[in-house]
Amino acid sequence: MTVRRDFEEPARSRPDLVIGREELFAGAREQLTGGGSVLLHGPAGIGKSTVLRALAADNAVAARTVLRCSATESESHLPFLALADLLGLVVDEVSDRLPAAQRTALESALTGRGESTLQRDGLALRLAVLSVLRALAAEGPVLVVADDLQWLDPASAELLGFAARRLGDTPVQLLCAVRTEGQEYDRHLRALPPNSLAVRLNPLSRAQVSTLLDHRGYTGLPRSTVRDIHRTSAGNPLFALELGRALAEDPTPPRPGEPLHVPTSLRALVLNRLDMLSDEARRTLLVASAGARPTLALLHAAGRDNAESETAQAAALGLLATEPEGPAVRFAHPLISAALYAEAPAQERRAAHAALSTAASDTIERARHLALASSGTDPEVAARLAEAATQARDRGAPSVAASMGLLAARHTPADSVPGADERRLQAATDAITAGEMDLARDIAREVLTRATLPAERVRAWIVVIESAGHTLGDVDSVFPQALADAGDDAGLLALVHYQLAWRGLIVEGDFAEGREKAAHAAELAARAGDRRTELLALAFQAQTETLMGHPDAPATIKQALKEPQDPQVACHHNGPGLARFRWLQMSDQLAEARTTVTALLREVRRRGMVESEVHFLRLLAETELRSGHCGRALDLARESLRLARDSGIGEVASALLTSFAEAAGGDVDRALALAREAEEHAEGIGDQMYVSRALAALGHAQLVAGDTQGTVRSLRRVRELEHGLGITDPARGRWHGDLAEALVRIGELAEAQDVIDVTREQALRLGRESVLAVVDRAEALVRARRGELEAALGQLTSVQDRLGKLGYGLEEARAAFALAALRTHPQALGFPRTGGTARPGPTSYDEAARLFRRCRALPWLRQAEAAAATPPPEPVAVPAPTLDALDGLASMERQVAALVMEGATNREIAARLFISVKTVEATLTRVYRKLGIRSRVDIVRLAAGRRTK
């Protein structure tokens, strides 16, 4: 068919496309925009048609003619059918331009009248298709869109390929999609012009599957369920959507340890060859589908004596993947296993699990199969499952522990000790450790519907609170209920007050309140003998005191690190280990901080503590960034962000740290986008602490991007927020130097000096040497802007040396860059030239470039290289105003100018004239404008009767 310029593809396909396909879509679109052709390939259901439609919609506007065909398997035997779809409606427009033999052969092929075949009219037909495409292209660009290329009838495929190989520079492009299971797409490229781009669509990630399900309306699915959907679908969008639809229509989840329910539509799709198996082979496959890691040895132990021949039969039918080198029995697709299990009667499934409960070598697996083979309550089964949960927890598999715990609760009789709800609450705690917050919250809510014991109710409320993460405002109503259930029990009250400390920090944005609640929680926990909660509360108190610059912080950290320690709390992301790391990092002990956080990361990975892993990955990235290892920091930050998005934990914190890492060593545009994303999310949940941190990341990215005004706007707000939060330690956010530098660039010298003075006072009190060096770097820029170039150069030289000795590689490089700029291009930083010639030092920009290259600080390196390539301007003589010009000033302006001539600072002028420093600065700005000068130094020179240059 043909479609003219007014063609518009339905918009419905585009939203699905952008989910996980942005990069490949951009590459394919670039290829088409450049006049090339594209072949999309991948397995069934992977999204080829969706991408094809969207690419066609994007590129059809530029084409005068769009030709389409979409073949089907049932029609692939009909010769010339695809050719008729492509050319049937347009051939009449150009048929009179074809030679008679070509016209006759083509008409016969398209209409079915006559006996046209490739064998009889091969050359005429081939030339006819080529001639038609050339004739259409003579009127304007042609786009050929062909879906399911694998079902094209052989005759049409041959004719299309013949023409495609001979089009040359003719403006005809092909956009095709073909189903492939591996990389066998080469033969389909013969139907496209040479140098066409082959684009493989790969499976979606878990986060992308989650986004796709949300987009289609399957919202609110627990992350554990999304994880199962992703695993079962293997990232195939069609399969994932069908599984999501089945869950939406039948929301009863499968029992713990069981595969997902598979809808009939997918069973038919993947099990159409099942009827060709013998009954015994089918039973063998059912046992394999019930096993976690089936092998031939396991199948033999489960009573499947002919497992070799029966699995070979299944492999020949494509149900199993052939792995001649290994003992594993692997299904060709995870969906086959799930569908096979779902198709089997319940009695046969229980029989398979019963066989595996004695055959499996792993004790956890045996317990799982025993539970799935049993029905009703049984204390012995429950005890074995509870023991399996403990073993899984010790192995660092908290997700498995949660599953085993839920199975144990299901089989626990009503009068057992421990009871079913106690086991459920332990499963909820394991789920939190595994990062499955939705599952934990659902378990706790279920317990609260029937629990009457205060201890169980408070524990359930704590799970609800902890599973809320940083959205504590959403569970505000829980706190009064938890306090009421706790009564006067010190241990239960300690649990609640610890969470109230977090509420004070996150919801109220009040560090002082958070510190007070944490200290009270620690006292209550100590009284109750709850060492775990006491340690968490002390660690929280230590962190808030550190950020506040509180003098008690070192003593509290020491108290939190005292023995005895709880092994899991010791490596928890809110435990004493983190408090010590923060102190080391903020005290410029970067090597020891790196060692500490690396050990913590290793331990939480061993224990399967997903939330802690997200945080420690981020903190290690932050340490590497401070050390100037920008490439390493970027890799770690991206890994943290991927894990955060996959688990739904710590996304804001990981996004903003990745923004810093991108600005330092990656893509500045991505840094800006991530910072804005983090700010929007933090604003949405009302977390002022993270709003502040996100704005600090945004301001830094804006500085690197050259948006000085944006930097000032963002970081001024950070300053206001941190003042309101009570944060006085400048080593916490380290945005102060960026703000002062940006203020210098826009000429707000008084405010820049105020930021420097306040920050310096705080840093001196707390001994923050790196912060002092950075604000000294900013002050050197202030001094240079005021005309004190020699003093500024000396200060920057000292700063670079100090930062290098402290191990702050990127900050050292930035000092070298500022030094080179002042020597060579002072105007590049917004500073006036003061006459004379450029002052290249022994290194000029080479030293800065070398240091940036060592750090792999690519955005900064590009700036240094660009500056080095820019020649310094020739100095221009500027006529000096005369003293008579002062007569044109207003009274206040003359007084301020006169005091400047005496050498008074802005603060001294403000004190003598009883006005603010900002008023002095504003007055000076007007003086500069009226006198045609640029700095207070020019006023001094005016008084001395010297000419400015």
Side-chain angles (χ1 to χ4, degrees), residues 145-201:
V145 182
D147 199 1
D148 284 317
L149 208 60
Q150 75 278 2
W151 303 133
L152 246 63
D153 62 274
S156 296
E158 168 61 25
L159 293 170
L160 188 62
F162 175 87
R165 291 190 294 274
R166 289 163 177 80
L167 286 169
D169 295 332
T170 306
V172 177
Q173 296 173 269
L174 274 70
L175 172 59
C176 304
V178 63
R179 180 187 300 178
T180 56
E181 292 303 325
Q183 296 293 326
E184 69 281 7
Y185 59 88
D186 289 353
R187 62 187 179 90
H188 296 289
L189 281 173
R190 291 198 297 268
L192 277 74
N195 301 320
S196 294
L197 176 67
V199 178
R200 178 169 179 80
L201 274 71

Side-chain angles (χ1 to χ4, degrees), residues 769-806:
E769 292 297 329
S770 62
V771 175
L772 288 169
V774 168
V775 295
D776 281 354
R777 184 182 68 204
E779 187 173 55
L781 303 182
V782 174
R783 299 176 75 174
R785 186 66 180 263
R786 288 175 173 159
E788 304 168 24
L789 189 56
E790 292 296 340
L793 291 172
Q795 191 169 15
L796 279 174
T797 302
S798 171
V799 164
Q800 181 184 342
D801 181 62
R802 287 155 59 196
L803 288 168
K805 289 178 179 177
L806 288 168

Side-chain angles (χ1 to χ4, degrees), residues 274-291:
L274 199 61
D275 291 339
M276 302 174 67
L277 284 174
S278 66
D279 290 342
E280 289 302 310
R282 185 166 179 158
R283 292 191 184 96
T284 295
L285 286 195
L286 175 60
V287 174
S289 71

Side-chain angles (χ1 to χ4, degrees), residues 7 22 146 176 210 227-228 271 368 516 581 695 943:
F7 169 83
E22 298 87 349
C176 304
S210 177
R227 178 197 61 201
D228 291 341
L271 297 180
R368 181 178 76 90
E516 181 182 338
F581 161 79
L695 284 169

Side-chain angles (χ1 to χ4, degrees), residues 61-80:
V61 177
R64 179 184 180 274
T65 305
V66 178
L67 308 176
R68 294 176 176 277
C69 72
S70 183
T72 63
E73 183 177 13
S74 61
E75 298 171 338
S76 60
H77 66 286
L78 300 174
F80 306 119

Side-chain angles (χ1 to χ4, degrees), residues 357-395:
S357 69
T358 57
S361 58
D362 184 80
T363 55
I364 296 176
E365 269 298 286
R366 287 202 298 271
R368 181 178 76 90
H369 289 301
L370 177 62
L372 295 175
S374 308
S375 58
T377 60
D378 186 321
E380 183 178 345
V381 172
R384 284 185 59 182
L385 287 164
E387 176 59 29
T390 300
Q391 291 179 17
R393 199 175 304 121
D394 292 342
R395 292 183 190 178

Side-chain angles (χ1 to χ4, degrees), residues 84-99:
D85 287 341
L86 288 171
L87 303 182
L89 297 180
V90 297
V91 71
D92 290 343
E93 296 181 20
V94 296
S95 62
D96 58 345
R97 291 179 242 173
L98 303 183

